Amino acid sequence: MNNLTNPKWWEAATVRALKTAAQTAIASIGSAAIISAVDWKVVVSATLLATLLSYLTSIAGLPEVPDE
């Protein structure tokens, strides 16, 4: 079955993408010494890019979703 039409794949890929987004945001925010020094445009941009890359990487396959 094609990954993009498989609801289980979307669920697993979304969980991975959300984890990646959270990790990227935390790392980006954590690089500032104080919260007022956070460059929020960079945080949002890096987080969106990491989320997109997570989905693209998941197209290659997810071990949580066996091939049918």
Side-chain angles (χ1 to χ4, degrees), residues 22-35 37-40 43 47:
Q23 291 167 347
T24 303
I26 290 167
S28 298
I29 292 167
S31 65
I34 55 175
I35 196 74
V38 173
D39 187 343
W40 292 104
V43 172
T47 301

